[in-house]
Amino acid sequence: MPKTLDQRTRPQRLLALAQLSNSVGDGAYYTTSALYFTQVIGLAPARVGLGLTLGWAVGSLAGVPLGRLADRHGARGTAVLLAVATGLAVASFTLVRGFVPFVLVACGYAAAQSGLAAARQALLAGLTPADERTGLLARLQATLNAGLAVGAGLGGLALHAGTRAAYLGVFAVDAASFLVCALLLAALPRVAPRALHPGGSGLGVLRDRPYALVALLNTVLLLRMPLLSLVLPLWITERTGAPAWLVSALFVLNTAAVTVFQVRAARGVTGPASAMRAVRRAGWVMCAACAVFALSAGASPWVAAGVLVLGSVLQAAAEMGQSAGSWQLSFDLAPADRVGEYQGLFGTGVTVARTLGPLVLTWLLVEWGTPGWLLLGAAMVAASYAMGPAARWAAGGRDAEKAGASAAAGAGAPTATAPATGAVPAPSTAPAPATG
């Protein structure tokens, strides 16, 4: 029986509500956590940085096995459990009183977050036809930014109060947001676990060099992530005469732009070819943004402010194009029976950009100045153009793998009257996802 419109769109609405729930909590957490760890717990800033770096390093290693767990044992159940685990980890931060417990909780938090991201991608792939995934991800990204903005406002209220109770309230909101997320994910239709095809044992993604190269190039493009949160605030205060409040204004500008225009930016991305074009365009736009940011050095306050706003607009446009293209490639180039595992590897790019990006970009841009900006822009163009050959290499491997699997299936195929056995179970709610 054909599905009604409500049956087709209900999973997407639930995914969006789950995204909104935990992004509101995360926005409040990101705004206040550093001050809570230093001023309430009493940890030294250097120790906070070290603990979070160690946590996200563990998280980057956990994404692949937890994504594989989602593939083998069901994406919905795995995502629900990891959402609950993330909420419990957030709540555990309120019990921390020393550095070692802080590191342990940070590792648990980062691992649960990384695994949750991979499991949710596997869940999305099982519930959504291949030609609708990038559009849905664009809507989820817009929802994410809206939720972060609301959460940042709640965090701002806690910062204004400046009390221990206010900070604890933020952590309670974030923990509760992940529990609400878990309830919403549990209400989604079940996606059947994937049976491993012959020769697919082990963590195959770690041996898939073409896909690993695509993920590595995407990580280079994601080095833009620390710009708004760390590099531009330092650049504005140390290298330009622009007012300090512009830092907040640029963050709001980026968040609003992605919320409003991400869906529109992703509409033209429908397959590998259009995804690679989007990534190449984004590389050039990001290069232009870097050149514009460099022009703000030494300018008068209002000229610098105008230049920085223009650079931020270009950066937001590059971010939206690169995101849409990379989402499409990350799904198209992954085997249908290992979406969670492959998304676990692809998602490590975010973790690496968040942990190594601040160190690399602070030295490259704030210390080196204009030449550093130009070098970063050139790296963005180079990585975006290298993505095309790497994606074609990965797609060729997928085609050869599918041809080999078809030949093996044909050699042992049953007669026309006998039912086929050993089939890979398709998701119970949607057709099996297409691969690149």
Side-chain angles (χ1 to χ4, degrees):
M1 181 182 296
K3 294 180 181 178
T4 65
L5 179 62
D6 182 70
Q7 288 175 318
R8 293 197 303 270
T9 59
R10 183 174 180 271
Q12 298 184 8
R13 292 198 303 270
L14 288 173
L15 284 169
L17 288 172
Q19 180 76 83
L20 179 64
S21 171
N22 70 250
S23 63
V24 170
D26 276 346
Y29 168 83
Y30 294 147
T31 305
T32 60
S33 59
L35 291 179
Y36 173 79
F37 296 142
T38 54
Q39 295 183 5
V40 177
I41 296 180
L43 297 174
R47 287 200 155 196
V48 172
L50 175 61
L52 293 177
T53 298
L54 291 173
W56 284 112
V58 170
S60 67
L61 298 176
V64 171
L66 289 175
R68 181 178 175 82
L69 186 69
D71 292 331
R72 300 296 159 259
H73 299 284
R76 184 185 66 179
T78 304
V80 169
L81 289 176
L82 289 171
V84 172
T86 306
L88 293 176
V90 171
S92 298
F93 276 124
T94 65
L95 305 176
V96 166
R97 295 296 180 268
F99 177 66
V100 173
F102 170 71
V103 172
L104 294 176
V105 174
C107 289
Y109 171 78
Q113 279 272 44
S114 297
L116 176 59
R120 281 163 68 149
Q121 295 292 71
L123 184 57
L124 181 147
L127 294 172
T128 310
D131 59 352
E132 296 180 12
R133 291 175 194 158
T134 297
L136 175 57
L137 282 166
R139 292 192 289 276
L140 294 179
Q141 184 71 8
T143 302
L144 169 68
N145 277 265
L148 289 175
V150 173
L154 295 176
L157 295 176
L159 292 175
H160 178 71
T163 63
R164 177 185 175 86
Y167 286 121
L168 292 177
V170 165
F171 279 78
V173 167
D174 194 21
S177 76
F178 279 98
L179 297 181
V180 172
C181 172
L183 291 174
L184 291 167
L185 294 175
L188 286 165
R190 178 177 178 269
V191 174
R194 292 288 191 169
L196 195 68
H197 66 71
S201 60
L203 295 178
V205 66
L206 301 180
R207 299 191 300 271
D208 192 336
R209 288 178 293 174
Y211 193 90
L213 178 58
V214 172
L216 176 62
L217 292 170
N218 186 63
T219 301
V220 174
L221 297 174
L222 287 174
L223 286 176
R224 58 172 170 73
M225 293 184 66
L227 286 179
L228 276 176
S229 60
L230 177 66
V231 177
L232 278 177
L234 294 175
W235 176 263
I236 288 171
T237 56
E238 296 186 16
R239 291 280 193 151
T240 79
W245 56 259
L246 188 64
V247 172
S248 177
L250 294 182
F251 182 84
V252 172
L253 172 64
N254 178 272
T255 302
V258 175
T259 301
V260 175
F261 296 111
Q262 179 67 79
V263 174
R264 184 177 303 177
R267 282 177 185 163
V269 180
T270 56
S274 56
M276 288 184 282
R277 287 195 298 271
V279 171
R280 285 196 296 269
R281 285 196 301 269
W284 281 111
V285 174
M286 191 64 215
C287 182
C290 290
V292 170
F293 282 136
L295 293 175
S296 64
S300 64
W302 293 110
V303 171
V307 170
L308 289 165
V309 168
L310 175 60
S312 295
V313 170
L314 292 171
Q315 180 195 348
E319 174 184 339
M320 291 184 283
Q322 186 266 328
S323 295
S326 66
W327 292 332
Q328 186 76 37
L329 292 175
S330 72
F331 280 111
D332 284 350
L333 301 177
D337 62 334
R338 294 186 188 145
V339 173
E341 181 183 330
Y342 272 63
Q343 287 296 321
L345 177 65
F346 205 81
T348 60
V350 174
T351 304
V352 172
R354 283 177 174 168
T355 53
L356 296 183
L359 177 65
V360 173
L361 295 187
T362 300
W363 170 78
L364 184 67
L365 304 178
V366 180
E367 299 297 329
W368 207 11
T370 298
W373 281 109
L374 299 180
L375 181 59
L376 177 63
M380 293 292 177
V381 172
S384 66
Y385 270 79
M387 187 74 85
R392 286 190 289 271
W393 183 24
R398 289 284 81 76
D399 292 340
E401 183 180 284
K402 288 189 290 185
S406 298
T415 62
T417 58
T421 61
V424 175
S428 60
T429 58
T435 61

